[in-house]
């Protein structure tokens, strides 16, 4: 893995990778995922995998088997961060300090702990720097 420019993927980017209802967002997500796989600098968390599976089977009505196949591809293609109590309490601190939801703070905590320079997410403010990690919303029009 290229440790100097690691990027973290929130589950919503992974969902758009599998979602053909919005061609523009799917194309952007596809390019980001493929670039990270090629550059070997992508990271996700167990939370990203869980949220991806839940969203694709409930909102996209993707079959559980297909959603699992996608999740396995992500888990094999990216480094996967598992949570421990230290990360959870760091996320609580991030949530309190930055007035973010706990779940968004958990993504930031995992990205920060993993040494990522950025987190790709649609849920946070594009360009915002949280605890040294830059938020990039790839769907914001340039």
């Amino acid at each position: 893995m290229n440790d100097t420019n690691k990027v973290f993927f929130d589950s919503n980017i992974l969902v758009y990778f599998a979602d053909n209802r919005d061609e523009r967002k799917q194309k952007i997500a596809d390019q980001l995922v493929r670039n990270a796989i090629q550059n070997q600098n992508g990271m996700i968390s167990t939370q990203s995998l869980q949220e991806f599976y839940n969203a694709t089977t409930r909102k996209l009505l993707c079959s559980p088997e297909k959603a699992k196949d996608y999740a396995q591809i992500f888990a094999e293609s990216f480094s996967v961060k598992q949570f421990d109590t230290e990360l959870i309490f760091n996320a609580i601190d991030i949530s309190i300090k930055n007035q973010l939801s706990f779940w968004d703070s958990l993504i930031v905590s995992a990205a920060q702990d993993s040494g990522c320079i950025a987190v790709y997410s649609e849920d946070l403010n594009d360009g915002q720097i949280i605890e040294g990690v830059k938020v990039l919303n790839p769907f914001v029009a340039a």
Side-chain angles (χ1 to χ4, degrees):
M1 173 172 291
N2 187 343
D3 286 341
T4 59
N5 63 350
K6 291 190 286 187
V7 292
F8 200 95
F9 287 85
D10 195 352
S11 59
N12 50 50
I13 307 302
L14 304 178
V15 170
Y16 282 118
F17 180 85
D19 185 1
N20 61 8
R21 296 177 304 170
D22 187 326
E23 188 177 313
R24 178 184 158 272
K25 287 185 177 181
Q26 184 183 37
K27 185 177 180 179
I28 292 168
D30 181 81
Q31 189 64 49
L32 290 173
V33 167
R34 290 181 190 282
N35 284 347
I37 291 170
Q38 181 179 359
N39 294 327
Q40 299 181 342
N41 68 338
M43 293 211 59
I44 56 174
S45 64
T46 50
Q47 174 189 356
S48 300
L49 289 172
Q50 294 164 336
E51 289 177 355
F52 169 83
Y53 180 83
N54 188 55
T56 54
T57 56
R58 290 182 180 255
K59 294 179 184 175
L60 301 184
L61 303 178
C62 186
S63 74
E65 295 80 12
K66 186 174 181 180
K68 181 183 176 187
D69 288 344
Y70 275 118
Q72 284 181 316
I73 290 168
F74 296 139
E76 292 168 2
S77 301
F78 299 134
S79 293
V80 180
K81 184 70 174 178
Q82 295 192 31
F83 296 107
D84 57 22
T85 53
E86 184 177 332
L87 280 177
I88 292 168
F89 285 111
N90 186 49
I92 292 169
D93 290 340
I94 290 170
S95 176
I96 293 167
K97 180 180 175 183
N98 296 281
Q99 298 181 353
L100 298 173
S101 78
F102 170 74
W103 301 110
D104 289 341
S105 298
L106 198 53
I107 291 292
V108 172
S109 179
Q112 177 193 43
D113 188 70
S114 301
C116 293
I117 60 168
V119 59
Y120 289 117
S121 179
E122 185 180 47
D123 293 341
L124 298 163
N125 294 325
D126 183 54
Q128 182 179 13
I129 298 175
I130 306 169
E131 304 300 316
V133 179
K134 187 170 188 173
V135 174
L136 299 174
N137 181 343
F139 309 123
V140 172

